[in-house]
Amino acid sequence: MSGISWHYVLKFIITGDAGVGKSSLLVRLTDQRFLANPDPTLGVEFGSKLITIPEENKVVKLQCWDTAGTESFRSITRSYYRGAAGCLLVYDVTSRQSFVNARSWLADVRQHADPHLTCILVGNKADLASGDAPAVTLPSDTFGRQVSTEEAELWAKEEGLLFVEASAKSGQGVQEAFEVACRDILRKVREGVFEDDRSPGVKLSKPLANGVDLNQQSKSTQCCGT
Amino acid sequence: MDFFSQTYTALRGPTGAQQTPEETIARLADRLSPDSQLPDRRAAVLALKGLARKHKVLVGERCLGGLSRIIREDAILDPEIARAALEAVTTLIDSSDTHSDQREAASTNVELVLKDASFVHSIFTLLKDEDFYVRYAACSLLSALLASHPQTVQAAFLTAPDGPARVVSLLEDSRDLLAREALHMLTMLIRKSSEIQKVLAFDGVFEKLFGIVTREGGLEAGQYAEEALQAVDILLRFNASNQSYFLETQLPSTLCTLLYFNPRVVPDEAVPQEFALQFWNHNKAQAASHVLDIIGILLTAKGPALREGYAYTRLLIELAFASNAPTTLKTQCLRHLPADATPMLPEMVVTPYMPVPETNGEEWDKLEVATALDALIELIMHGEYNGLDAEKRSKVGMDLRATAVDVFENFVRDSSVKEAIVAGMLPPASAGPSARSPVTPLLFGLLTPPKPPPERVLIVGFQFAAIIFAHLLRHTPNCKALARQILPPSPVATNEVAGGAFFVPADGRPPPAAPEPIPEDDDDEAQTLLQILAEHLSLAFLLRSRDTWSTHDSREWDRWIIMHLCLLSQWLWEDPKAVRMFLEAGGMGVLVEQVNQHSETDVVITGLCAFLLGICYEFNREPGEITRATMHPILNRLGPSTLAGRLTRLREDERMKIVQPGYWVLPCPTPRSLTLGFMSRYEEETEIWFDWSFVDFWKSVNQTVIRGLMQDPDAPPSSSGTSQSGESVLVASLRDALSKQALEIDDLKRRLKEVTASQTTVRCAVARELEEVQAELATEKTKRAEVEKEQEDLLVLLDELSDKRKRDKQKMREAGWEVSEDEEDGDEEDEE
């Protein structure tokens, strides 16, 4: 690795109904594998990944917390909103209900999070909805697509959310979802929305010249090397 | 105060009549209602705060509701009332009172206020109040609530809006008093709640905690830094999610720098002296102990994949072997050293230090460099700083050596390593028949002869030598076979050589250094190590039997004898050749004599003698002078049931009973019952009787030995019989199957090789033949082509000739010569 480590550390959270595949998305992002039968997430799990945004010439370190979608943990999940820079609001394209509930999750986000938080709506399990989807043994009500791309896109537009459909199983759209969100945050940074580190979820890795951060720079170089 | 007394007077009324506390409190309680003016409420709260301590029950009953409402509603507006109300509630729930009824009242009050989660929420909100005293009072109240009802407060915390961020921001409060109180509260808040641990990590609590440590000046800051590190420990210990996050930050390397260790150290780089020699005091040691624990957590959790893995391992090894760190920290280092890091030991070079005598730890001598493995063996054999305080057998010192034995055990887990070490103890093969084994520190320790009076330091040294030697031999037939060939040099030479080896860092890493020139003084035939051990054992019995020893000295002899018996029984088990050697060295007589004694000698010793005798009988399978048949009548005379009884009594003994994995350095004296008439020489003295590995070995084979004692001399070895316990039968059968399979595999491999070889030759031959045939074919082809060409040429020639003939015939006909027609016709017909 050359001297570059990362320019920003961004805190992300993943939220949405239970069983929409939040943990799987995180595992897909960080480990490039599919988590077939995950236990329901109790509390929050953590993963991180370096993402390069070529057009900004920036490397971003994504720190992602995966939250529990079950109702009983909802109030705990709220504790995470305030500190986050980005939020993946996930629903399941094969479950109408999860899409409907996304509204209440969004309300939560709006109420507790930083107003400049970037939120991206992610329709997961897109692989099950595509025409030639293999017949997978699933509860009957999750068969086939129940939320059309157009409808979700429209709602996202109304609410000012970014939108992407993804599949943690095939990997389609997963990295994209995070990248799109990162770009949006970087744009906000560029436009000066966060006045010097005002968002708790965005941390600037201080430039080398500063000297103070020398340690972090070289350390992170090592990290990327291994 | 002025304000307070005015209010009090006002409340008492103009009449000046004395009011009862009940009346006053009732009146004050009324004033708490939102109907009164804010100043009135404030005055009432202040007054109640004063009364709360004395009248916990009354104020609790009447006013707690009002106070909690004020905290929920008014506190945010008025710092003064907020502080007073918080302090009043803190007093009401304070259970440190000496009176039991007051304590009871306190616990009732706590339950009352905690009924409503929004009350706790509002306290969390007040943590961010602008007024310092309000923040402080809120923090103290939370601490008090957490101390009595942690779970309720934790549950409320998780639902409190913005709670985590508020708690975290308290930690960076510029006022020390508050930051300390916040740290105290945090430590209670995060206990046993992984949810809270995670959410606080998300909000940056790690960074803040390390911020405190560095701001305070590192580990030297003492208790404050210690508390912060303790919180980090709690946040990480059972929390995989937090561990992953923590490793993402730059904090793991900070753990190294806190101890002045370079987190990016590379293998050939020496460690600076400022790390090796530090100023230590109690507080710093406590704080450093947390750092080591955290390192241990991370190493266990992430293994070799850890980015700082090398630095951590190096730090642990350096601190353990080459530093002036307190002994307990060194023990901790060895305990946290991962098993998979032990292969580094022979390669890593360390520079041990020794305190200069009488400088009170202020001056240190640098010793010669040594490999970490040598330093480890040195530590086990002699103790810290070359046995400076080994005489005292202090708990910390003995624990360190025992932990070092565990590290050694990890190091020799692979039997090839064991074999290499034992092979290094053999006389060098190249040096001819008169060669003797090189005296390594281990061998030197094993050869310690029993000399009156018993020397405490030497005896412990022998115990440790025997323990690690037993680790090398136990259940390892190859090592036992090698060990039988160890031929130590004569005692004179031993003392000379080892005299040097005793005071320099151990140099016993196999393969050994150049063989020592041994003076030829062959008065009698050289003895093997096993023979020497047998001789030392009988000598020790002889010395022990003198009745001039004090209780202390007798115990030392017992210790000495017991360790010999332990080592021998582990060696002789399943090794008939060693049994033969032992019996021929006169071992039988010694054992029988001891078992036969009815005297009040130590039950453990007679038990172990019977145990060893049983092993000898069981594995006496080599032809020789003393056979099973000669042993049988002797055993019969002793009585198999007596022998079995001796073995059973051994099991009952406390010295063996309380030994557990990781716990075999016992308080002195063990058994406890001795304490009455026995005073240990030093305070906190400890002692060793058995190590866990031996106890484990003993438990697994004891039944077999007891059964073996009853067997007929002609009975087959029990390992192949059915008399063994299920597990060992299973192990034996598996081992059998394994060896059969290994043989089979070898056979198959050989056959495969043969088949491949023959196949190759066949293939070669075929290829060669093919080549020949092809060559032949090619020549044939060219031949044929030539022939064809020739034929063609001939045909052309023939054609030309017949043409010419036709012309000639024509000419002849024209010339009027008679020409044969038939031929021409036929010719033409042919051509057509």
Side-chain angles (χ1 to χ4, degrees):
Chain A
M1 285 295 286
S2 58
I4 294 179
S5 47
W6 58 79
H7 300 92
Y8 292 99
V9 179
L10 302 182
K11 283 190 186 177
F12 266 67
I13 51 165
I14 312 184
T15 185
D17 262 13
V20 295
K22 297 183 292 299
S23 302
S24 301
L25 280 174
L26 179 61
V27 171
R28 165 59 72 182
L29 177 78
T30 55
D31 295 7
Q32 276 88 41
R33 67 189 167 90
F34 178 60
L35 202 60
N37 287 307
D39 294 330
T41 313
L42 289 177
V44 177
E45 294 305 321
F46 172 81
S48 89
K49 177 161 173 103
L50 287 181
I51 285 191
T52 314
I53 307 292
E55 61 272 26
E56 298 250 357
N57 197 17
K58 291 274 155 62
V59 180
V60 169
K61 187 178 182 81
L62 209 90
Q63 294 185 332
C64 194
W65 273 264
D66 166 28
T67 68
T70 32
E71 196 57 37
S72 52
F73 283 94
R74 192 145 181 170
S75 60
I76 301 170
T77 304
R78 285 185 189 130
S79 306
Y80 288 85
Y81 293 137
R82 205 194 69 100
C87 170
L88 261 68
L89 176 49
V90 187
Y91 70 94
D92 174 358
V93 294
T94 65
S95 153
R96 180 99 214 139
Q97 193 56 45
S98 75
F99 181 66
V100 173
N101 291 348
R103 287 166 201 275
S104 82
W105 286 106
L106 182 64
D108 256 14
V109 173
R110 290 270 151 83
Q111 190 188 340
H112 298 280
D114 184 279
H116 299 302
L117 171 117
T118 291
C119 192
I120 178 166
L121 182 68
V122 180
N124 193 23
K125 306 195 188 174
D127 57 296
L128 295 180
S130 60
D132 54 344
V136 189
T137 347
L138 283 169
S140 57
D141 61 335
T142 58
F143 255 114
R145 181 184 284 277
Q146 292 187 357
V147 182
S148 75
T149 312
E150 295 72 29
E151 183 188 3
E153 206 163 12
L154 187 69
W155 181 63
K157 209 170 174 187
E158 280 169 13
E159 294 287 348
L161 307 174
L162 301 166
F163 172 68
V164 72
E165 278 194 352
S167 159
K169 189 172 184 185
S170 70
Q172 168 220 332
V174 176
Q175 173 111 359
E176 190 197 340
F178 285 96
E179 277 179 14
V180 167
C182 283
R183 274 200 196 93
D184 190 61
I185 295 169
L186 290 192
R187 180 186 57 77
K188 286 179 183 168
V189 171
R190 205 176 50 237
E191 290 169 4
V193 173
F194 311 108
E195 295 157 30
D196 45 72
D197 220 12
R198 281 280 293 282
S199 164
V202 183
K203 281 216 186 81
L204 185 64
S205 184
K206 288 159 204 148
L208 262 170
N210 210 335
V212 187
D213 219 59
L214 215 68
N215 277 350
Q216 186 183 352
Q217 284 289 344
S218 45
K219 178 221 72 180
S220 37
T221 309
Q222 213 178 38
C223 153
C224 305
T226 50
Chain B
M1 244 10 244
D2 191 31
F3 178 71
F4 170 66
S5 60
Q6 275 174 11
T7 324
Y8 202 65
T9 323
L11 282 164
R12 212 169 49 200
T15 57
Q18 199 66 35
Q19 283 188 333
T20 60
E22 284 85 353
E23 284 170 343
T24 319
I25 289 167
R27 212 175 263 237
L28 287 169
D30 289 343
R31 294 277 172 102
L32 291 179
S33 91
D35 302 334
S36 353
Q37 297 287 313
L38 184 64
D40 286 348
R41 273 181 273 160
R42 191 190 300 138
V45 172
L46 282 166
L48 282 169
K49 188 182 119 187
L51 292 166
R53 184 156 301 282
K54 220 174 164 191
H55 304 284
K56 226 171 240 182
V57 187
L58 269 180
V59 179
E61 269 174 16
R62 300 281 178 88
C63 314
L64 210 47
L67 285 171
S68 90
R69 191 203 55 78
I70 284 173
I71 288 175
R72 281 199 310 272
E73 291 165 19
D74 299 343
I76 207 117
L77 311 168
D78 182 61
E80 209 173 333
I81 203 171
R83 181 185 171 191
L86 288 166
E87 285 174 356
V89 176
T90 311
T91 313
L92 286 175
I93 62 161
D94 176 20
S95 59
S96 62
D97 219 294
T98 42
H99 294 292
S100 67
D101 53 336
Q102 292 281 65
R103 277 205 300 276
E104 242 169 65
S107 85
T108 328
N109 290 343
V110 177
E111 277 162 31
L112 212 65
V113 289
L114 286 180
K115 261 187 192 158
D116 183 5
S118 68
F119 172 71
V120 185
H121 288 173
S122 52
I123 308 177
F124 279 111
T125 315
L126 290 175
L127 287 178
K128 243 195 167 171
D129 199 90
E130 280 177 11
D131 188 280
F132 165 78
Y133 291 103
V134 174
R135 292 201 300 273
Y136 185 75
C139 198
S140 309
L141 177 54
L142 279 173
S143 297
L145 289 171
L146 276 164
S148 59
H149 287 67
Q151 280 161 350
T152 323
V153 182
Q154 285 175 335
F157 170 77
L158 281 170
T159 51
D162 224 7
R166 281 167 206 269
V167 170
V168 170
S169 67
L170 270 190
L171 292 175
E172 54 187 351
D173 202 285
S174 54
R175 265 158 292 198
D176 225 29
L177 187 68
L178 180 55
R180 272 170 201 253
E181 182 64 37
L183 188 55
H184 179 61
M185 189 261 287
L186 178 82
T187 316
M188 289 192 276
L189 185 66
I190 55 181
R191 243 179 218 153
K192 293 183 189 162
S193 167
S194 59
E195 278 314 321
I196 294 181
Q197 292 163 6
K198 282 179 206 162
V199 79
L200 287 174
F202 178 85
D203 273 302
V205 73
F206 283 126
E207 288 80 359
K208 294 290 183 296
L209 287 169
F210 275 89
I212 290 178
V213 178
T214 37
R215 198 172 63 218
E216 292 294 308
L219 301 184
E220 280 79 3
Q223 211 187 345
Y224 195 13
E226 185 201 329
E227 269 182 52
L229 288 165
Q230 190 196 352
V232 174
D233 185 313
I234 301 172
L235 287 165
L236 287 173
R237 190 162 289 271
F238 301 111
N239 198 320
S241 177
N242 273 5
Q243 287 164 7
S244 310
Y245 171 70
F246 184 77
L247 290 171
E248 281 292 316
T249 64
Q250 71 215 64
L251 300 173
S253 56
T254 312
L255 288 172
C256 292
T257 44
L258 281 176
L259 285 165
Y260 305 108
F261 193 80
N262 175 11
R264 279 172 291 284
V265 66
V266 290
D268 286 330
E269 188 182 332
V271 171
Q273 207 166 50
E274 61 165 0
F275 165 75
L277 299 178
Q278 302 187 30
F279 174 73
W280 291 98
N281 58 26
H282 176 73
N283 283 340
K284 181 176 172 183
Q286 291 291 105
S289 139
H290 285 298
V291 171
L292 293 178
D293 278 344
I294 294 167
I295 286 179
I297 294 172
L298 297 177
L299 277 173
T300 332
K302 299 293 159 178
L306 194 63
R307 193 196 330 147
E308 277 80 11
Y310 176 74
Y312 283 170
T313 315
R314 180 88 186 267
L315 183 152
L316 295 178
I317 292 177
E318 292 281 351
L319 202 64
F321 299 129
S323 78
N324 69 342
T327 316
T328 47
L329 287 188
K330 291 181 176 178
T331 310
Q332 228 180 332
C333 286
L334 293 182
R335 205 164 278 152
H336 289 313
L337 194 66
D340 54 15
T342 49
M344 283 164 80
L345 290 173
E347 284 145 33
M348 199 177 276
V349 174
V350 294
T351 312
Y353 290 87
M354 272 283 278
V356 176
E358 285 157 36
T359 57
N360 201 14
E362 279 172 18
E363 285 175 43
W364 294 79
D365 276 337
K366 217 177 201 179
L367 300 186
E368 282 175 59
V369 293
T371 66
L373 181 64
D374 287 343
L376 175 76
I377 292 181
E378 162 77 19
L379 176 64
I380 297 173
M381 298 296 305
H382 301 142
E384 198 185 12
Y385 306 131
N386 232 326
L388 196 62
D389 277 332
E391 165 73 19
K392 291 185 181 164
R393 294 183 183 165
S394 67
K395 177 162 169 48
V396 284
M398 294 282 267
D399 275 342
L400 178 63
R401 292 168 80 173
T403 317
V405 170
D406 295 340
V407 174
F408 182 80
E409 198 184 348
N410 282 332
F411 176 69
V412 299
R413 196 155 278 178
D414 186 2
S415 62
S416 65
V417 179
K418 289 185 194 173
E419 277 172 43
I421 295 179
V422 181
M425 296 170 77
L426 296 190
S430 55
S434 62
R436 297 289 177 268
S437 295
V439 180
T440 60
L442 172 58
L443 186 54
F444 179 73
L446 289 171
L447 289 174
T448 321
K451 258 190 312 202
E455 271 198 58
R456 289 162 58 91
V457 174
L458 287 183
I459 286 175
V460 175
F462 171 75
Q463 284 187 304
F464 276 106
I467 287 168
I468 60 177
F469 196 58
H471 274 310
L472 295 172
L473 300 191
R474 195 181 312 113
H475 298 309
T476 322
N478 291 351
C479 286
K480 287 181 184 176
L482 287 170
R484 287 197 305 269
Q485 303 166 38
I486 297 177
L487 269 183
S490 63
V492 188
T494 317
N495 284 341
E496 276 171 10
V497 177
F502 197 84
F503 292 107
V504 292
D507 54 357
R509 169 77 188 130
E516 288 89 13
I518 308 290
E520 295 291 324
D521 53 349
D522 283 24
D523 309 340
D524 49 352
E525 210 181 320
Q527 282 182 306
T528 62
L529 175 62
L530 184 57
Q531 286 163 336
I532 294 176
L533 287 175
E535 193 181 295
H536 286 175
L537 177 64
S538 77
L539 198 58
F541 273 126
L542 205 66
L543 289 167
R544 168 76 174 87
S545 64
R546 292 190 202 164
D547 46 13
T548 51
W549 302 117
S550 65
T551 325
H552 281 104
D553 287 341
S554 312
R555 294 182 96 237
E556 293 308 315
W557 286 126
D558 289 352
R559 208 188 302 284
W560 181 282
I561 291 166
I562 285 172
M563 200 42 90
H564 269 91
L565 292 169
C566 289
L567 175 59
L568 286 169
S569 37
Q570 294 176 82
W571 189 343
L572 266 43
W573 175 258
E574 287 185 332
D575 189 357
K577 287 209 171 76
V579 170
R580 166 93 0 245
M581 201 185 263
F582 176 72
L583 292 177
E584 275 164 15
M588 174 87 175
V590 178
L591 296 180
V592 170
E593 192 185 334
Q594 293 303 317
V595 176
N596 208 14
Q597 271 178 2
H598 307 287
S599 68
E600 55 288 355
T601 31
D602 198 330
V603 288
V604 170
I605 292 182
T606 46
L608 280 174
C609 284
F611 181 61
L612 185 55
L613 197 59
I615 291 177
C616 286
Y617 182 61
E618 177 63 38
F619 294 102
N620 185 7
R621 306 281 171 183
E622 289 279 310
E625 239 173 88
I626 308 167
T627 59
R628 280 170 67 85
T630 44
M631 281 178 88
H632 189 64
I634 301 173
L635 294 181
N636 262 348
R637 213 169 310 141
L638 292 170
S641 54
T642 320
L643 290 170
R646 296 239 191 267
L647 285 172
T648 321
R649 279 181 72 188
L650 179 56
R651 186 169 43 207
E652 310 286 297
D653 195 86
E654 193 175 329
R655 279 166 286 181
M656 187 173 256
K657 224 163 56 176
I658 65 174
V659 169
Q660 278 165 19
Y663 180 74
W664 41 277
V665 173
L666 308 176
C668 177
T670 301
R672 278 270 145 223
S673 52
L674 265 179
T675 325
L676 285 176
F678 186 90
M679 277 284 288
S680 60
R681 293 228 172 126
Y682 298 91
E683 246 179 86
E684 296 254 319
E685 190 180 320
T686 51
E687 58 184 10
I688 292 175
W689 294 98
F690 303 101
D691 69 318
W692 164 250
S693 309
F694 173 76
V695 175
D696 194 34
F697 163 80
W698 180 83
K699 281 182 179 165
S700 67
V701 305
N702 191 30
Q703 280 308 315
T704 320
V705 172
I706 292 180
R707 262 189 234 115
L709 280 170
M710 324 250 179
Q711 294 282 333
D712 204 61
D714 303 327
S718 63
S719 48
S720 61
T722 48
S723 57
Q724 271 190 327
S725 60
E727 199 178 327
S728 41
V729 168
L730 184 69
V731 170
S733 74
L734 284 178
R735 219 180 260 170
D736 205 34
L738 232 124
S739 62
K740 262 187 209 154
Q741 279 169 353
L743 277 180
E744 224 168 279
I745 288 174
D746 281 346
D747 188 43
L748 287 176
K749 265 189 199 156
R750 208 190 51 245
R751 266 166 43 196
L752 182 68
K753 215 184 264 173
E754 281 173 13
V755 169
T756 338
S758 67
Q759 224 177 7
T760 339
T761 48
V762 167
R763 202 178 292 155
C764 282
V766 168
R768 217 175 306 123
E769 227 167 89
L770 183 71
E771 237 168 69
E772 279 167 20
V773 169
Q774 269 173 342
E776 245 170 67
L777 183 69
T779 49
E780 289 297 321
K781 264 188 189 160
T782 44
K783 256 189 214 165
R784 198 178 141 189
E786 272 167 28
V787 170
E788 269 175 12
K789 197 162 177 271
E790 218 170 288
Q791 201 187 0
E792 225 166 87
D793 288 347
L794 284 175
L795 280 174
V796 172
L797 191 66
L798 183 67
D799 206 32
E800 277 170 12
L801 271 181
S802 49
D803 271 359
K804 196 175 174 251
R805 202 174 154 218
K806 245 186 246 169
R807 276 198 311 273
D808 287 348
K809 269 189 186 169
Q810 191 69 36
K811 271 182 200 162
M812 281 162 80
R813 226 177 262 143
E814 280 166 9
W817 291 18
E818 198 176 309
V819 185
S820 57
E821 284 300 324
D822 289 344
E823 200 187 13
E824 202 181 35
D825 282 352
D827 244 28
E828 272 169 13
E829 267 167 29
D830 267 322
E831 277 171 15
E832 276 166 6

